[in-house]
Amino acid sequence: EPEVTQTPSHQVTQMGQEVILRCVPISNHLYFYWYRQILGQKVEFLVSFYNNEISEKSEIFDDQFSVERPDGSNFTLKIRSTKLEDSAMYFCASRPRLVTDTQYFGPGTRLTVL
Amino acid sequence: SQQGEEDPQALSIQEGENATMNCSYKTSINNLQWYRQNSGRGLVHLILIRSNEREKHSGRLRVTLDTSKKSSSLLITASRAADTASYFCATAVSGTYKYIFGTGTRLKVLA
């Protein structure tokens, strides 16, 4: 069964450094998402991406964040200058086409900012 | 209250018992999805119910949706120790591309 994959599974970085989190959505899906989950808290929507552009973003997704689909398979989240409070689990998700389609999640990348 | 509040926050039951979790939301939605998350792991999709549906079943899962009350419930029948996890509802907000997650219910099933 196709699945969303994410790399790395765990990323440790120093405050102020740039990080890129990578995702490979399911191949025939058209909508892509990033979410984060701070330890012990709920999952928060960051951004949705469709047709090579951001379709919606939350107030969390400020200028420090960017997303890109550099080729036909990868979907990346970049944090330009990490802060301690960026430490969280980051989930990528994709869905096929319709708003009534299921959204499938990747296993997540745990980001630790020191 | 926030969009996507769930209750109870935590639930502890014996194996074989049924577990019911509730989710409330505030906006119009296209659909509502339930996910399971084992500790520190990813989100596993359980079931999706569309806004024009009232009830849906999948195996031991039963989901109801009451759009007039803006609430949903997830029932797990004949629970097993392996059902121990956190359960989240996620609403696809109408007119947006956004999904909003609930605060989650931590279910513990005792063998």
Side-chain angles (χ1 to χ4, degrees):
Chain A
E1 187 177 327
E3 55 184 21
V4 177
T5 59
Q6 290 185 244
T7 54
S9 56
H10 191 189
Q11 173 93 47
V12 181
T13 190
Q14 295 289 328
M15 192 169 57
Q17 294 295 304
E18 174 184 286
V19 293
I20 297 176
L21 310 182
R22 300 178 195 282
C23 168
V24 179
I26 295 172
S27 64
N28 62 346
H29 286 192
L30 300 181
Y31 291 84
F32 314 115
Y33 300 84
W34 284 102
Y35 294 83
R36 80 171 184 192
Q37 185 181 32
I38 295 170
L39 186 64
Q41 299 187 24
K42 68 176 183 178
V43 177
E44 298 173 291
F45 169 82
L46 292 179
V47 66
S48 61
F49 192 86
Y50 170 71
N51 200 26
N52 281 320
E53 60 182 27
I54 291 173
S55 47
E56 188 143 9
K57 60 184 180 179
S58 71
E59 55 276 5
I60 302 168
F61 194 88
D62 61 21
D63 292 344
Q64 292 299 310
F65 292 88
S66 62
V67 289
E68 198 175 36
R69 189 155 162 82
D71 52 44
S73 59
N74 289 285
F75 179 50
T76 61
L77 174 69
K78 182 194 289 187
I79 309 175
R80 287 190 182 80
S81 178
T82 51
K83 305 174 190 133
L84 295 176
E85 54 265 35
D86 292 327
S87 294
M89 186 77 111
Y90 288 80
F91 293 105
C92 173
S94 68
R95 70 171 166 89
R97 186 171 64 89
L98 301 175
V99 71
T100 49
D101 289 329
T102 296
Q103 194 178 190
Y104 293 91
F105 280 78
T109 292
R110 180 166 299 284
L111 176 65
T112 302
V113 182
L114 302 175
Chain B
S1 64
Q2 301 177 50
Q3 173 90 345
E5 282 196 357
E6 292 176 62
D7 76 270
Q9 289 187 343
L11 180 61
S12 187
I13 58 173
Q14 294 292 326
E15 207 166 29
E17 293 181 340
N18 295 341
T20 300
M21 291 158 259
N22 302 294
C23 167
S24 61
Y25 57 92
K26 296 177 79 173
T27 66
S28 294
I29 63 171
N30 289 309
N31 65 70
L32 187 146
Q33 303 182 43
W34 284 91
Y35 289 86
R36 184 184 73 226
Q37 184 180 39
N38 290 86
S39 182
R41 302 286 191 91
L43 293 150
V44 175
H45 181 262
L46 296 175
I47 196 165
L48 178 153
I49 186 165
R50 295 180 171 81
S51 59
N52 61 352
E53 296 176 313
R54 292 295 165 258
E55 188 171 315
K56 205 158 181 183
H57 297 254
S58 176
R60 293 186 295 115
L61 305 179
R62 173 178 167 253
V63 169
T64 62
L65 179 65
D66 186 336
T67 52
S68 66
K69 294 181 180 176
K70 291 187 166 55
S71 68
S72 175
S73 67
L74 171 68
L75 168 68
I76 304 174
T77 60
S79 62
R80 305 166 183 167
D83 295 328
T84 295
S86 290
Y87 291 82
F88 294 90
C89 65
T91 51
V93 180
S94 294
T96 78
Y97 294 90
K98 186 186 294 190
Y99 289 78
I100 298 180
F101 275 75
T103 48
T105 293
R106 291 188 311 279
L107 173 66
K108 188 167 187 177
V109 181
L110 303 169

